[in-house]
Amino acid sequence: MATVQALLYEAAGLPTEDPRRDAEILLCHCLQRPRSWLYAWPEGEVDETAVAAYRRLLQERGDGVPIAYLTQRREFWSLPLRVTPATLIPRPDTEALVHWALELPLPAAACVLDLGTGSGAIALALASERPAWRVLAVDADRAALAVADSNVAALAPGRVTLLHSDWFTALPPQRFDLVVANPPYVAAGDRHLGEGDVRFEPRQALVSGERGLDDLTRIIAGAPPHLASAGFLLLEHGWDQAAAVRQRLSAQGFGNVTTRRDLGGNERVSAGQWHAVG
């Protein structure tokens, strides 16, 4: 039987940024063990079923398939989310939106809408921090909603409501204190669509017209009838789209329009307040 050490050595030629790390994550996934177990038992023998599963995943990783899709796990806001090729892989930069949302002067039992929820990352992060908030999360893709449903059941049962809706089209007649979205914002011809993990992510969750602004524009235009007075709209967008998003927010009548930067220092999230005072 193959040992832990021998199996990790098999990844030496893996064409990825960190072959050893990838191999450890995949082997732990197949063994359902923590990485510390690998270090404690390098000579431990691995049964053939796990070996076969590991080698299959290693081959897929060599073909570029993201680790998150191979393990069906990605941590976001310290939450272990299930992800599949039906959803985007949550990224740390999106936590800038969560941080901002939690700082807003909202009611104790605020009504919150998460548009295009995907895996449910933003909705679940907010619900985990503010259990009294009433969070509705929508997505136009039923496969993505199924993933979000599994995450809600595992991480916040009863605290996030899911709804199949193309942005605002199927919403109930209510107004929200906060609307958040990480919509598609990549331009159709962006070269990054053919690179790295993005190659494997769902195009409909990434691409939004020639300049990447179609869905952002649609959300800004459609948000006012669904916002409570003094309610906020927070939008994630591309690093070079902040000025365009701010312009659209102001033109739509939002006040207190501003932008915050992500972990890399890029302008990443823009916000406006509806019927703001002053």
Side-chain angles (χ1 to χ4, degrees), residues 40-97:
W41 303 99
E43 300 303 324
E45 294 185 337
V46 180
D47 69 75
E48 291 305 316
T49 300
V51 169
Y54 168 74
R55 286 173 174 161
R56 183 176 65 253
L57 294 180
L58 209 59
Q59 182 174 352
E60 291 186 65
R61 181 59 184 145
D63 292 336
V65 179
I67 286 281
Y69 288 158
L70 294 175
T71 62
Q72 294 201 352
R73 284 290 180 271
R74 182 61 171 254
E75 185 174 289
F76 179 84
W77 202 259
S78 299
L79 299 172
L81 295 176
R82 175 175 175 252
V83 295
T84 77
T87 69
L88 291 181
I89 300 169
R91 290 170 169 80
D93 286 339
T94 302
E95 294 189 357
L97 186 152

Side-chain angles (χ1 to χ4, degrees), residues 22-44:
D22 289 353
E24 290 179 356
I25 292 172
L26 293 177
L27 187 53
C28 286
H29 172 69
C30 293
L31 296 174
Q32 293 297 292
R33 299 275 192 175
R35 287 171 77 179
S36 58
W37 188 89
L38 302 183
Y39 306 142
W41 303 99
E43 300 303 324

Side-chain angles (χ1 to χ4, degrees), residues 77 79 102 106-112 122-136 155-161:
W77 202 259
L79 299 172
L102 295 173
L106 299 178
C111 290
V112 179
I122 295 173
L124 286 163
L126 296 177
S128 71
E129 296 290 340
R130 299 288 187 271
W133 284 7
R134 291 163 288 171
V135 182
L136 173 63
L155 301 170
R159 299 219 304 274
V160 175
T161 301

Side-chain angles (χ1 to χ4, degrees), residues 23-272:
E24 290 179 356
I25 292 172
L26 293 177
L27 187 53
C28 286
H29 172 69
C30 293
L31 296 174
Q32 293 297 292
R33 299 275 192 175
R35 287 171 77 179
S36 58
W37 188 89
L38 302 183
Y39 306 142
W41 303 99
E43 300 303 324
E45 294 185 337
V46 180
D47 69 75
E48 291 305 316
T49 300
V51 169
Y54 168 74
R55 286 173 174 161
R56 183 176 65 253
L57 294 180
L58 209 59
Q59 182 174 352
E60 291 186 65
R61 181 59 184 145
D63 292 336
V65 179
I67 286 281
Y69 288 158
L70 294 175
T71 62
Q72 294 201 352
R73 284 290 180 271
R74 182 61 171 254
E75 185 174 289
F76 179 84
W77 202 259
S78 299
L79 299 172
L81 295 176
R82 175 175 175 252
V83 295
T84 77
T87 69
L88 291 181
I89 300 169
R91 290 170 169 80
D93 286 339
T94 302
E95 294 189 357
L97 186 152
V98 176
H99 278 290
W100 197 351
L102 295 173
E103 295 172 8
L104 294 173
L106 299 178
C111 290
V112 179
L113 173 64
D114 177 23
L115 294 169
T117 195
S119 64
I122 295 173
L124 286 163
L126 296 177
S128 71
E129 296 290 340
R130 299 288 187 271
W133 284 7
R134 291 163 288 171
V135 182
L136 173 63
V138 308
D139 205 290
D141 187 271
R142 292 190 183 277
L145 274 180
V147 176
D149 185 59
S150 67
N151 283 324
V152 170
L155 301 170
R159 299 219 304 274
V160 175
T161 301
L162 298 172
L163 176 68
H164 180 245
S165 179
D166 183 8
W167 302 134
F168 303 102
T169 57
L171 291 183
Q174 71 178 99
R175 290 181 178 265
F176 297 89
D177 302 295
L178 170 65
V179 175
V180 297
N182 176 17
Y185 56 73
V186 179
D190 194 309
R191 63 179 177 81
H192 295 99
L193 291 169
E195 301 175 356
D197 289 356
V198 177
R199 293 172 293 164
F200 298 87
E201 294 183 277
R203 281 294 186 271
Q204 71 273 15
L206 290 166
V207 177
S208 186
E210 294 284 329
R211 299 174 57 203
L213 291 166
D214 288 7
D215 286 296
L216 286 160
T217 301
R218 183 179 172 190
I219 291 169
I220 292 168
H226 304 281
L227 279 166
S229 182
F232 294 88
L233 174 62
L234 266 64
L235 299 167
E236 180 172 337
H237 50 70
W239 65 272
D240 58 349
Q241 295 172 330
V245 173
R246 289 194 300 268
Q247 185 277 325
R248 284 161 171 76
L249 285 166
S250 296
Q252 191 63 42
F254 283 89
N256 296 334
V257 175
T258 188
T259 298
R260 287 197 181 183
R261 298 180 183 272
D262 61 22
L263 296 172
N266 299 304
E267 292 188 313
R268 182 62 63 188
V269 183
S270 292

